[in-house]
Each structure stands twice: as C-alpha cells, then as structure tokens.
Amino acid sequence: MILAVVLSALVLFGWSWATERYFPQPKPRVVAAAAPGAATSAAAGAAPVAAGAVPGAGGPVVAAPGGIRDRAAVLAETPRIAVTTPRLAGSINLTGARIDDLVMTTQRETIAKDSPPVRLFTPSGSEGAYFAQFGWTGTGAPPADALWTASGTRLTPQSPVTLRWTSPTAAVFEIVLAVDDGYLFTATQRVSNPGSAPLSVRPWGLVSRTGEGKEKDASNLHVGPLGVVGGRLKDSEVGYGKLRDDGAQSFPTTGGWLGQTDKYWLAALIPDQKTPVVARFAAASGDRFQTDYLSDPVAVAAGGSATTTAHLFAGAKEVRLLDRYKASLDIPLFDRAISWGWFWFIAQPIFHLLDWLFRLTGNFGVAIIGLTIAVKALMFPVAAKQYSSMARMRVVQPKMKEIQDRYKDDKQKQQTEMMALYKKEKVNPVAGCLPVFLQIPIFYALYKTLLVSTEMRHQPFILWIHDLSAPDPVTPVNLFGLLPFQPPHVLALGVLPILLGITMWLQQKLSPTVPDPVQAQVFKLMPWVFMFIMAPFAAGLQLYWTVNNLLSIAQQWLMLRRHPMPATPAVVK
C-alpha cells in the first residue's frame, strides 16, 4: 500500500514534468481566417476573430498596420490618455477606446533589482498584441477604429475619464472608465438618442491576444482562455488546442465572467451579472485568440438614453483582491481563476494559513516551517497510534519471520497465518499508511500554492534561497558556482533536495525493517530517488518536506523512548 502511495505521488507530480521535458508536443494546427463579417459562432451577429475584431454584425476588422513593429513606435502613433494607479501604469488608445498598454508596477520580471515591471497588455501592431475593448454593435454604433474624445488626460482611482463619440445621426455614445487601487476597471456605457427614430444597439466587450504567452497549458496548470458561464468553470474545454481544433464555442449565460489567463496574470471581462449575454471563445489564423461577450439588444427610444455597466480585471491574481471582487460584485467562482487544481478546497485554506503566518512573521520560508509544525501537531494523535502499532510490529517480527520461513512454499497458508497473528497480537500492518494518506492532499495543496499563487512569487527565505517558488539554485555539482559551468538539469541537485534525501534516509533508519526483502530494497532506494525527483520543484516545497522529515525523526525518537526496542527477540514457540 505504501508503495502504491509512493507511485501515485510520482505520477501526480512527475508526469507533467516529464512530458514537458522529454515528450515532443504536437505543432498547433493553423486555422484559416474567416472573411471579415462572416459569423464564426452561434452568437447572433458574431464576427470573426482578428486583431481588433468586434463581435458585432458586420463590424469592421481592424488589422495591425504595417506588420510587427517596435512597441514604442506603435504607442506613439495614436492619441492616448495615461493610466496611473498604485499597481498599474500605461495608457488607453483613443482609437478604438482600447485598453492596450498596461504594466504591473509592483510585479517584476525577475528577482534582479533592475528588473523591469511585468507587462500585461501591449498594442496591436507590436509583438504579442494583447488588449481589451468595450463597444456597441448596431446601426449607427461606433466602428471598432472610431476616434474617441476624452474628458481628461489621465485615468487614476480618483479621476475617471469619459470617452465620447457622436454618430452621423447625432447619437452620443459614451464610455465612462474608472479604475480602483487594485486591478479593476469599470466601464459604464451610455447611449443618448436625441433623434426622432429609436435606436437598437448591443453592448459588447472583448479580450484579444496574439500568441499563447510564456507559460504553457499543462495537466497541473491551466493557461489560456477560461471563464465561468452558466455557473460552471470552463478551462480545458476552451483551451488553445480545443479552439484551434474544434472552432469557436459560445455559451448563453446570465452572470459569470470570461477572459484569458497566465500562471499569475489575468485579463477577465465581467458583464453585468443580471444581464443575459452570449459568451464566446474563439481562435483564428495568425495564432490569435479572443474571448468576448455580446449582450441582448438595448432599445433606445427617441429622446431617450440607456446605460449598461461592465468590468475588466487586468492584473495579478492576488487572492485577497479576487475574493474582494467576488464578494462586492457577486461574481461566481471568481476565486477559481487561480489554477488551484483538484484539491482546491484544501489548497485555498492552506494558502490563507500560509498568508496569515507570513503576515505574522514577515517571511514566507518561516511561514512554511510554521505550517509544517502546525500540520505535524494536528496529526500527532494519528502519528502516536502509528508508532504504537509499529512498536507492536517490532515485537511480532520474529514470529512473522518464522511463519514466512515455515510456509515459504505455500503463500496462501502464509497469508492466513499472518492474518491470524495480526488478529491475535492486535496489530494493524497498514496503520503506518494513514499519516501518509492524510498528508498527500496537504502536500499537493502546498505544491499548488507555491506553483500558482502570485503572493509566493519571488519570495525569499534566507541565505541563498532568493525565490521560494523556484528550485534551489545552489548545487555542489559545480562546487556551489565556483566552477564555470552549469550542470545538466537532472544533475543540478540543490542543497535542499540533498538534505531532503538525507533526512528521509535517517527517518527510515528509525523505522522497523520491512520483512519482505524486495520491499526492503525498494525502501532503501526511495530517499535517493526522491532526492532527484524533487530537485526541479520549488524550494518552498523542498523546505516543507525536509522540515517535515526532521520533525518525523524527532517524533520517532520520542516514540522509541516510549516504546523501546525489545531487549531480546521474542521467543517463538
């Protein structure tokens, strides 16, 4: 059973690592571009995906002018208003009213002191175009490349900006953009109709992206289009590969959200939660992907007006902010924008405990040690029963060996006698498995927390550990960096993985010997196998396992004092 648990853990953590490094990935199939204005989904009036396409009936397609060019040159070509918040900086393009230039000022590309801030949005026409846009479709609605006028020159949390466009029929379209101190934009769309004839328009929003970004979608991490429609989370079924192979997917929904995600960053559209919309996920040629929604028609009577409100989340997936927006806007499953995985119901409490310990201690490494101690203390009663059972197993081991020798040619009789011995001596041979089973979801939850939580990204510990979410960077293979070469990935054993293997070996030395010689050999190899397996994982995970091993050694030493080894082997009669 223990071997099955170990193999399950190997599959759980090792498969995605192995496939990414040793198995070639199929090349993506290129989807031919649809003709401008042709429908590509079930959404009524939906237009094809393109750099700047809008989901409006017959809406124009705005192509990237002049091919790929330098971002600074592209930004200088269009009139803009600045965006300045405690967490964001950039600009909004008045041509198309696009939010297409954003960097996260509190997030850095690397741990280097001079590292530039992480860029989220970049304008169409530059490499890796990525932007969001709001608008309308219908007769007299602004085209996708309309030139808007702005009421101010800078968007800040204290100063919203109104964008205005007037149609040839004198209808006035306004987008009032506001931003908070986090990553949330609010777009209030107003239509005023001073004419004598009624208007019918449909509000929409989109997030468009060229390319898949740096991270790749995997079994343990979803990267790409995602959303919640109809109360259900859509992730892998609307992933990059699915959209390329199966075409656009549309879902009618009231409430929910949709967008595109990286490991740590998210751009998500949040329509009015009480308004029916059609949500769409699509791909097109040129490695382009788009998520958009199209609202039901809004009738604007002559002399009347209509207002709708939507939101855009554009930034880092910080847990506290996602929870805040989920509660304040009543957004279903918005916290699941973070790829917590199968054990999300354990991973989220583990993160909150870690975050609380971090705020208490000021160091995530110390917080991980505190978490390890808390988990060990919580499981101490179970561990005490485990060690008590192990002590009884040590007493009956000579009897077990005698039964194995006596019935070595009759396995069925051997098993029958073994079970009778367990019952007589009141020992449970699998009692030691329970703590292992209980810790697997906790270990996996911590693994996911280190893998996907923005709060853990680039967090230092002490000495040479400058990033707990990255592998241990120091290895004795090149004499801790003194030799001028970088060892192969599989041999780059950091100090923490080596300590993990040594402490695992010491822990085994305090455990009773396994009677089966084959199992005994497997268990002897396990510490050194796991030392190599854990080397590529986050240093925080290695720290947790190493500290857990040290605490287990201390527990075993304490329990051996309570239940000492028998002075002489039990007499077999």
Side-chain angles (χ1 to χ4, degrees):
M1 188 176 291
I2 294 176
L3 187 59
V5 171
V6 172
L7 291 174
S8 298
L10 287 174
V11 171
L12 189 64
F13 299 111
W15 176 248
S16 60
W17 172 79
T19 53
E20 289 173 5
R21 286 165 175 77
Y22 300 113
F23 297 105
Q25 299 296 318
K27 291 184 178 180
R29 183 171 65 88
V30 177
V31 181
T40 60
S41 73
V49 176
V54 298
V61 175
V62 183
I68 302 301
R69 290 163 295 125
D70 179 71
R71 183 188 301 115
V74 174
L75 291 173
E77 291 173 350
T78 52
R80 295 179 170 271
I81 59 172
V83 177
T84 306
T85 82
R87 288 182 169 93
L88 294 171
S91 61
I92 295 172
N93 189 350
L94 293 180
T95 301
R98 289 188 199 167
I99 305 171
D100 64 356
D101 172 34
L102 279 184
V103 296
M104 293 169 280
T105 55
T106 59
Q107 302 291 335
R108 299 288 166 175
E109 292 283 356
T110 68
I111 59 176
K113 292 182 179 180
D114 58 349
S115 176
V118 174
R119 174 167 288 278
L120 181 67
F121 285 165
T122 193
S124 178
S126 60
E127 185 176 359
Y130 192 10
F131 56 85
Q133 193 172 2
F134 294 97
W136 295 262
T137 183
T139 304
D145 59 349
L147 180 60
W148 296 71
T149 58
S151 62
T153 59
R154 184 175 299 274
L155 174 63
T156 71
Q158 296 76 33
S159 56
V161 172
T162 300
L163 307 183
R164 183 176 288 105
W165 183 85
T166 304
S167 74
T169 59
V172 178
F173 293 83
E174 293 181 330
I175 304 175
V176 181
L177 287 175
V179 66
D180 68 357
D181 59 354
Y183 300 111
L184 192 71
F185 291 84
T186 301
T188 304
Q189 297 175 248
R190 293 197 298 241
V191 184
S192 301
N193 180 20
S196 57
L199 287 177
S200 179
V201 292
R202 304 180 69 176
W204 54 259
L206 67 81
V207 171
S208 179
R209 183 172 195 171
T210 301
E212 299 182 15
K214 295 179 181 178
E215 292 101 7
K216 300 302 177 185
D217 198 23
S219 59
N220 64 344
L221 173 68
H222 176 70
V223 172
L226 87 165
V228 170
V229 292
R232 292 187 57 229
L233 181 68
K234 301 286 185 182
D235 45 25
S236 57
E237 63 236 80
V238 294
Y240 292 127
K242 275 282 189 181
L243 296 180
R244 285 194 189 100
D245 294 339
D246 302 336
Q249 297 190 43
S250 297
F251 307 92
T253 184
T254 300
W257 54 275
L258 67 160
Q260 303 197 39
T261 185
D262 296 291
K263 180 195 290 189
Y264 299 117
W265 330 122
L266 173 69
L269 300 163
I270 307 164
D272 186 295
Q273 296 299 288
K274 296 182 180 180
T275 300
V277 300
V278 175
R280 186 182 70 146
F281 304 84
S285 61
D287 203 25
R288 291 171 291 176
F289 303 92
Q290 184 166 301
T291 55
D292 55 54
Y293 71 85
L294 186 63
S295 299
D296 285 348
V298 175
V300 186
S305 63
T307 301
T308 58
T309 301
H311 298 88
L312 168 71
F313 179 95
K317 295 187 286 187
E318 297 177 18
V319 174
R320 285 177 176 268
L321 283 178
L322 294 181
D323 288 343
R324 187 176 91 187
Y325 297 141
K326 176 185 176 183
S328 62
L329 299 177
D330 196 22
I331 312 170
L333 302 180
F334 199 48
D335 55 321
R336 300 289 295 280
I338 300 175
S339 187
W340 292 116
W342 305 332
F343 295 110
W344 61 267
F345 50 91
I346 299 176
Q348 288 182 339
I350 288 291
F351 167 81
H352 286 294
L353 176 57
L354 261 180
D355 189 54
W356 178 77
L357 289 169
F358 168 68
R359 294 175 187 279
L360 192 66
T361 63
N363 186 294
F364 258 114
V366 177
I368 289 172
I369 294 173
L371 172 70
T372 315
I373 295 172
V375 170
K376 210 68 179 173
L378 188 64
M379 293 189 175
F380 184 79
V382 178
K385 290 183 179 180
Q386 172 201 3
Y387 288 120
S388 177
S389 177
M390 288 168 61
R392 291 196 295 271
M393 284 290 289
R394 287 196 300 268
V395 174
V396 301
Q397 268 186 355
K399 296 181 181 180
M400 293 167 59
K401 183 72 167 93
E402 192 273 337
I403 290 172
Q404 288 174 336
D405 293 340
R406 184 186 301 174
Y407 300 107
K408 61 182 178 181
D409 297 325
D410 188 348
K411 295 298 182 183
Q412 185 174 358
K413 180 66 175 175
Q414 183 186 108
Q415 291 298 322
T416 303
E417 291 296 321
M418 284 283 196
M419 294 305 295
L421 178 65
Y422 296 151
K423 185 175 181 180
K424 178 183 176 182
E425 299 291 343
K426 297 181 180 179
V427 296
N428 183 357
V430 297
C433 298
L434 184 58
V436 177
F437 276 118
L438 292 176
Q439 288 205 62
I440 282 178
I442 295 174
F443 184 79
Y444 181 73
L446 180 61
Y447 160 71
K448 292 296 291 187
T449 298
L450 287 161
L451 178 69
V452 302
S453 83
T454 307
E455 290 81 353
M456 289 293 296
R457 180 177 181 266
H458 293 173
Q459 285 291 342
F461 179 35
I462 57 173
L463 302 175
W464 70 94
I465 305 296
H466 301 299
D467 186 358
L468 285 163
S469 65
D472 188 337
V474 173
T475 172
V477 178
N478 61 4
L479 297 181
F480 307 104
L482 294 177
L483 298 179
F485 79 96
Q486 183 64 34
H489 185 77
V490 71
L491 296 177
L493 287 172
V495 175
L496 280 177
I498 293 173
L499 291 176
L500 185 152
I502 293 171
T503 53
M504 197 172 179
W505 174 76
L506 289 173
Q507 187 181 354
Q508 281 189 4
K509 286 296 183 182
L510 294 175
S511 301
T513 306
V514 180
D516 189 321
V518 176
Q519 290 186 24
Q521 290 299 320
V522 171
F523 276 92
K524 284 181 181 179
L525 289 173
M526 277 175 52
W528 318 119
V529 171
F530 268 86
M531 185 172 68
F532 282 93
I533 289 175
M534 292 302 298
F537 284 87
L541 201 64
Q542 299 163 358
L543 176 66
Y544 170 83
W545 198 329
T546 303
V547 174
N548 184 71
N549 288 346
L550 290 171
L551 293 174
S552 297
I553 291 169
Q555 277 188 345
Q556 285 177 272
W557 178 81
L558 178 63
M559 290 302 171
L560 282 173
R561 290 175 64 88
R562 290 187 182 181
H563 307 282
M565 295 285 288
T568 58
V571 178
V572 180
K573 296 181 179 180

